[in-house]
Amino acid sequence: MAEMPITDIRKCDGCGLCVGVCHLNALTIVNKIVIIIETVECDWCTDCEAVCPTGAISCPFEIIIQEH
Amino acid sequence: MAVQLEFLKRILYFSDLGLAELESIKELVFEKTAERAEMILLEGESADNLYFVASGVVKVFKTSTEGREQILNIVRPDESFNDVSIFDGGPNPAGARAMGPVLLYGIKKNDMEVILRNHPQIALNVIKVLAKRVRHLVSLVEDLSFKHVINRVARILFEHIGGEMSRGPRLTQQEMAAMAGTAREVVGRSLKALEEEGAIKLDRHRIIIRDKEALRKIMEVSS
Ligand code: SF4
Ligand code: SF4
């Protein structure tokens, strides 16, 4: 399954800013908390992390070596 | 939709005003909407309006001659943008783009002058907003103009490489910013710069180190 951003629902206040900026519509609000729609393939643009005022959603990177 | 009084009350500019005063200001406020990715202000154009974000998020940015974007500010609901050019009369110092659908409340430059004349107590709050903006920009300038942030980002990547078998720790741009002692906006730009130099490649949720030696050299440049 596609990798998705990580949410910390304790920090989410349901403001919906991330939902509005996600260009793939991968996020939604249910019961005042952000929910990730796992069927959408997120492209890791990290806009949701950038706009979240509380740090409740994040897009962590794995760092690997693959030299050419 | 009519301009909401409730919204005006939440804006720092107008927070000291009573209802009657807000009512009179409301008359001068207009609505504007923008779709995702729509430009609201173009860098260098003449500035006619002050904007407040009612809903959605606006990105304020500069574009370099090579076309690289540097985010200066992310403007969330209740916050303003384009204040500087409204007050100094110069052109827009940066561009502004809607990050998703946005609703803005605008006030024309001339009307803002009338408002300030009629309600001089607003000036103190305007100063607070501008002072905060200056402080934020000064810290960005410091990190963008000295090369050391890119070295630090290179070092952070180096120290967090995952192994073949085990997954290394995963890092967000926010966390890299905290480690490098800078703003998230500067980390984004540093990663882009490292990618342009061929040291790394951004691949969705992975940062692939393509040239370890190049990364090491960048990391070791004395700052
Ligand atoms: S990283 Fe981008 S595409 Fe993925 S959920 Fe966040 S805003 Fe949507
Ligand atoms: S922006 Fe942050 S706080 Fe707001 S809904 Fe999204 S995750 Fe929750």
Side-chain angles (χ1 to χ4, degrees), chain B residues 44-48 82 84-93 109:
Chain B
E45 286 208 330
S46 76
D48 304 319
N82 211 27
V84 172
S85 33
I86 286 303
F87 294 120
D88 79 355
N92 303 327
K109 185 172 162 182

Side-chain angles (χ1 to χ4, degrees), chain A residues 6-9 11-21 27-29 32-35 47-58, chain B residues 57 76:
Chain A
I6 293 168
T7 54
D8 181 344
I9 55 167
K11 289 188 186 163
C12 175
D13 64 8
C15 71
L17 292 184
C18 58
V19 176
V21 301
L27 308 170
T28 184
I29 299 283
K32 298 199 176 135
I33 282 176
V34 67
I35 298 286
D47 278 356
C48 51
E49 178 186 302
V51 303
C52 178
T54 66
I57 188 161
S58 57
Chain B
V57 188
R76 299 185 177 84

Side-chain angles (χ1 to χ4, degrees), chain A residues 19-68:
Chain A
V19 176
V21 301
C22 179
H23 66 130
L24 296 174
N25 297 320
L27 308 170
T28 184
I29 299 283
V30 175
N31 292 333
K32 298 199 176 135
I33 282 176
V34 67
I35 298 286
I36 295 180
I37 303 167
E38 305 264 343
T39 48
V40 175
E41 196 156 329
C42 154
D43 69 359
W44 231 253
C45 69
T46 80
D47 278 356
C48 51
E49 178 186 302
V51 303
C52 178
T54 66
I57 188 161
S58 57
C59 306
F61 289 88
E62 193 181 348
I63 299 150
I64 60 166
I65 293 193
Q66 216 173 73
E67 291 196 276
H68 36 203

Side-chain angles (χ1 to χ4, degrees), chain A residues 3 6 17 20-23 42 44 46-47 49-51 58 60-68, chain B residues 36 76 99-101 157 160-162 167 170-174 184 204-212:
Chain A
E3 200 78 31
I6 293 168
L17 292 184
V21 301
C22 179
H23 66 130
C42 154
W44 231 253
T46 80
D47 278 356
E49 178 186 302
V51 303
S58 57
F61 289 88
E62 193 181 348
I63 299 150
I64 60 166
I65 293 193
Q66 216 173 73
E67 291 196 276
H68 36 203
Chain B
R36 178 190 319 287
R76 299 185 177 84
M99 289 183 76
L157 294 182
H160 293 85
I161 299 171
R167 267 186 135 182
R170 303 205 305 159
L171 288 183
T172 65
Q173 291 191 34
Q174 197 72 59
R184 192 183 182 282
R204 291 196 60 236
H205 60 282
R206 298 188 308 176
I207 295 173
I208 303 173
I209 296 175
R210 302 291 277 165
D211 188 341
K212 208 172 162 185

Side-chain angles (χ1 to χ4, degrees), chain B residues 46-91:
Chain B
S46 76
D48 304 319
N49 307 312
L50 170 65
Y51 289 112
F52 301 97
V53 176
S55 68
V57 188
V58 171
K59 165 159 90 174
V60 175
F61 63 97
K62 293 254 334 158
T63 312
S64 71
T65 41
E66 305 91 62
R68 199 190 293 157
E69 218 176 70
Q70 173 61 52
I71 301 181
L72 300 180
N73 212 358
I74 294 219
V75 193
R76 299 185 177 84
D78 302 346
E79 294 171 347
S80 54
F81 62 97
N82 211 27
D83 328 76
V84 172
S85 33
I86 286 303
F87 294 120
D88 79 355

